[in-house]
Amino acid sequence: MKRAFLYELKRNILPLCLFTAIATVLYVVAALSTDFIFSSETVDPLLNNKPINSLVYIPAMILGILCFLVSILQFSYLMKRTSTDLWYSLPIRREILLLTRLSVGLILVFVPYSVSYWAGFLVIALSENLFHLSYYGILFAVSLPIGCLLFFINVFLFTRANSIWDGILFIALGSVVLMLPAIILSQCGVNTDFGLENPTQYCIYSPLAFTFSTFNRLLLNRKPQIQGAVILYSLAVLEGIGSFLGLCLSARRHKAENAGQISNSPFGYKVLIPVYVFLFGMLLTVQPNKITTFFLYSMILLAAGLTLYFVYRRTFRLRWYDLVCLGSSLAGGLLIGALVGIFV
């Protein structure tokens, strides 16, 4: 494994340097051009000398983008028949190949993130500010496991596909699929019982955004809002560990001849399309709407479902069970949503 790891690391030196340079320049330039203390003679003097612009959203954005891009960069070889045949012909177990790719992928994520984070912090620390600078160190330590879990989730979703564009779409659809049930529950007034009033917190990127937002409030001497943090982080840990285990258990089962073919994974179109149509159908009828609005949105939802099936099958000639699945998902979602709206 050592030789495979060193070869993989050497192969990715160029993107590693490129990502590091871009991320560092972005954060440093932003820090150099930002005022960190509010001061103005034209407003209430009581507002002066307040800490502002902690810029933590920049490293959060960098970490999130890196987790997305590197997952595609490291595992796009599975989407091309020639690349898959080449890598699978090497005298190395597929589990070792997976772990090597994951390890170098984490390096590609955390080296640019770490260098840019501390370079930006150095600029902030040398500038006039009123921040509790120790929070930057705590934030960095907390963000590492969160970024690691997010990377595993992105890799798992991406590798369920057999083409790059399908993989990107799987990440997009899979990252927000839990938001729809949360939205439905919030419409019924149930979601508040779980401590997560904001349905967007069920996105896979929410732990990252929640962490940096919390520390931003601490840096600005404001009281952090930590309601729902236990559920949020517990869900992230379960998803991250489950994704890692799923990658390890499915590594040997992946077939080289699947590269470039239709993506039939149960974590892809086969399940995501009916689930999305069902949930959006529920969302349409949980709250009463005018009959014309309801009919219009139902037609848009049906058209969106058909479009996704066209993308899934890569043809306009759908199979009969695709149409049955689409129609039953829409009808079931509308019916159950109506019942929930009436009784709940």
Side-chain angles (χ1 to χ4, degrees):
M1 181 176 177
K2 181 179 179 180
R3 293 179 61 185
F5 174 79
L6 293 176
Y7 172 78
E8 182 67 16
L9 182 60
K10 181 179 178 181
R11 192 179 64 85
N12 285 282
I13 287 296
L14 179 59
L16 178 63
C17 295
L18 184 62
F19 290 159
T20 303
I22 293 175
T24 303
V25 169
L26 176 65
Y27 197 8
V28 168
V29 169
L32 288 173
S33 58
T34 301
D35 294 326
F36 302 108
I37 299 177
F38 183 85
S39 179
S40 175
E41 298 178 357
T42 60
V43 296
D44 189 350
L46 295 177
L47 298 177
N48 289 341
N49 298 323
K50 297 290 184 179
I52 57 173
N53 300 329
S54 67
L55 295 183
V56 295
Y57 67 90
I58 294 181
M61 178 184 65
I62 290 173
L63 183 56
I65 292 175
L66 285 172
C67 288
F68 174 76
L69 289 180
V70 174
S71 64
I72 298 173
L73 175 67
Q74 281 297 91
F75 291 90
S76 59
Y77 76 97
L78 295 173
M79 316 304 178
K80 299 177 182 179
R81 183 68 175 272
T82 54
S83 299
T84 308
D85 289 338
L86 173 63
W87 284 99
Y88 282 176
S89 65
L90 297 177
I92 181 174
R93 295 175 57 187
R94 294 187 182 181
E95 293 86 352
I96 300 300
L97 177 60
L98 170 68
L99 293 176
T100 301
R101 289 271 179 166
L102 286 175
S103 300
V104 176
L106 290 174
I107 292 175
L108 286 171
V109 170
F110 289 119
V111 169
Y113 169 68
S114 301
V115 173
S116 63
Y117 188 97
W118 291 113
F121 169 80
L122 182 62
V123 175
I124 295 173
L126 295 177
S127 303
E128 186 179 6
N129 68 85
L130 296 175
F131 301 133
H132 294 289
L133 296 179
S134 60
Y135 283 129
Y136 280 100
I138 301 173
L139 173 58
F140 178 78
V142 172
S143 66
L144 295 181
I146 295 175
C148 186
L149 295 172
L150 178 60
F151 178 69
F152 289 153
I153 297 172
N154 280 335
V155 171
F156 178 80
L157 293 174
F158 181 74
T159 53
R160 300 312 94 187
N162 293 327
S163 70
I164 293 177
W165 290 111
D166 284 350
I168 294 174
L169 194 56
F170 285 4
I171 294 177
L173 294 175
S175 63
V176 297
V177 68
L178 294 181
M179 284 175 52
L180 292 179
I183 293 174
I184 294 171
L185 290 173
S186 66
Q187 292 290 327
C188 301
V190 178
N191 199 36
T192 55
D193 297 335
F194 296 92
L196 289 177
E197 292 81 359
N198 185 2
T200 60
Q201 291 183 338
Y202 289 91
C203 173
I204 65 172
Y205 285 86
S206 294
L208 182 67
F210 181 85
T211 300
F212 279 84
S213 175
T214 300
F215 276 89
N216 178 62
R217 297 184 66 87
L218 289 172
L219 287 165
L220 298 181
N221 296 326
R222 299 175 186 174
K223 184 178 180 180
Q225 298 177 352
I226 59 175
Q227 186 178 14
V230 174
I231 295 177
L232 185 69
Y233 290 121
S234 299
L235 186 61
V237 170
L238 290 175
E239 291 175 340
I241 295 177
S243 297
F244 179 77
L245 294 177
L247 286 167
C248 295
L249 294 175
S250 62
R252 185 168 291 275
R253 299 178 182 178
H254 186 269
K255 298 180 180 179
E257 56 267 25
N258 290 338
Q261 302 301 313
I262 293 176
S263 304
N264 279 320
S265 170
F267 294 93
Y269 295 119
K270 185 182 293 186
V271 173
L272 286 177
I273 297 176
V275 166
Y276 266 93
V277 172
F278 177 82
L279 292 175
F280 271 109
M282 283 190 64
L283 193 59
L284 284 178
T285 50
V286 165
Q287 294 293 333
N289 294 300
K290 294 181 179 180
I291 187 64
T292 54
T293 303
F294 170 77
F295 179 78
L296 175 61
Y297 287 162
S298 298
M299 292 299 100
I300 293 175
L301 179 57
L302 181 60
L306 283 172
T307 301
L308 286 175
Y309 267 111
F310 295 151
V311 175
Y312 170 26
R313 296 298 182 185
R314 303 180 187 178
T315 179
F316 291 105
R317 300 180 62 181
L318 300 180
R319 304 178 183 183
W320 65 269
Y321 48 81
D322 291 333
L323 298 175
V324 171
C325 187
L326 177 61
S328 59
S329 300
L330 179 59
L334 295 175
L335 177 60
I336 295 178
L339 293 176
V340 170
I342 292 173
F343 294 105
V344 177

